[in-house]
Amino acid sequence: DDVYISTNIIPHNVIYLGQTRVPIGVEGTSSPLKYDLIELSQIARNFSNTRDLGLKVAGDYKYFDYYAGAFNGSRYGSKDLNTDMDIAGWLNIKPLAGHPELGKLDVGTGYVYGKGTNSYDTFGLYSAYKYKKAAIKYEWAFSDGGYAAANRKSSGWYLTGLYDITPKTQLVLRYDRFDPNRTVDENIIT
């Protein structure tokens, strides 16, 4: 799925040119080796687990990391039918990075805007806190036209709790909710 060349010539940053993941959300843009569960959350599957051809920059610093990119908007190597670009960005703040004894806290937000045959945008929020053996993660996303059909507003969220029983055994609980079309009543998938 990913075909790119990259360089880390700038300290703490990697520049990607080619087909990479569009940086919206946390779970959908993570490596499969970092998934909490075998199946991605519904918002990750529907909004953020996509790839596109373009230029992306990723930075990783002590108190924050980020992704920013411009993509052709055709997704998965499809023929580009216009001259418009998708613009995407994600910022993740790590406020406790200087105090690891308090645990690890991540708070992030991101946005994707595209103008293919129809304009669309997707907005997301994320937070996660890990302290010793326990962790909790929350992610919410809203898309206007970026999922399934033009002018369809959809949204969803998930809450995941994790507890390390042993170094190789973990208890994971998730509640996952997705509304594929906010103008239709009683279509929410949980």
Side-chain angles (χ1 to χ4, degrees):
D1 287 341
D2 294 325
V3 179
Y4 59 84
I5 55 173
S6 65
T7 180
N8 59 356
I9 195 167
I10 304 169
H12 301 283
N13 291 272
V14 179
I15 301 169
Y16 300 88
L17 179 62
Q19 183 168 289
T20 61
R21 292 178 190 254
V22 176
I24 186 69
V26 173
E27 188 179 63
T29 58
S30 298
S31 163
L33 301 174
K34 295 183 178 182
Y35 293 166
D36 295 322
L37 296 164
I38 293 171
E39 187 169 316
L40 290 172
S41 67
Q42 295 178 85
I43 59 171
R45 288 192 313 265
N46 292 307
F47 298 160
S48 62
N49 190 22
T50 62
R51 289 164 172 81
D52 204 350
L53 186 64
L55 176 70
K56 179 172 76 173
V57 179
D60 189 4
Y61 294 86
K62 182 174 183 177
Y63 288 100
F64 71 95
D65 54 56
Y66 74 92
Y67 294 92
F71 303 89
N72 75 2
S74 62
R75 305 282 167 103
Y76 289 104
S78 300
K79 184 177 179 182
D80 194 5
L81 301 174
N82 60 41
T83 58
D84 296 313
M85 301 291 288
D86 285 10
I87 304 299
W90 187 269
L91 175 65
N92 191 49
I93 307 294
K94 304 179 262 188
L96 298 180
H99 299 282
E101 71 279 5
L102 299 176
K104 181 181 177 189
L105 176 63
D106 294 326
V107 179
T109 187
Y111 181 73
V112 173
Y113 173 76
K115 189 178 177 185
T117 54
N118 298 294
S119 295
Y120 58 90
D121 58 351
T122 303
F123 175 74
L125 296 171
Y126 174 80
S127 64
Y129 179 67
K130 180 169 177 53
Y131 184 74
K132 297 185 180 180
K133 294 182 174 190
I136 189 164
K137 297 178 181 183
Y138 173 79
E139 189 168 0
W140 171 86
F142 172 84
S143 184
D144 184 359
Y147 165 72
N151 302 321
R152 179 183 286 186
K153 291 176 173 41
S154 50
S155 65
W157 59 272
Y158 69 87
L159 180 66
T160 304
L162 305 103
Y163 185 79
D164 298 332
I165 298 168
T166 70
K168 294 185 178 186
T169 307
Q170 186 177 58
L171 175 65
V172 181
L173 300 171
R174 172 174 285 170
Y175 184 81
D176 188 358
R177 183 177 171 100
F178 184 67
D179 187 347
N181 189 346
R182 295 174 56 138
T183 60
V184 175
D185 291 334
E186 301 182 20
N187 68 337
I188 294 173
I189 305 163
T190 56

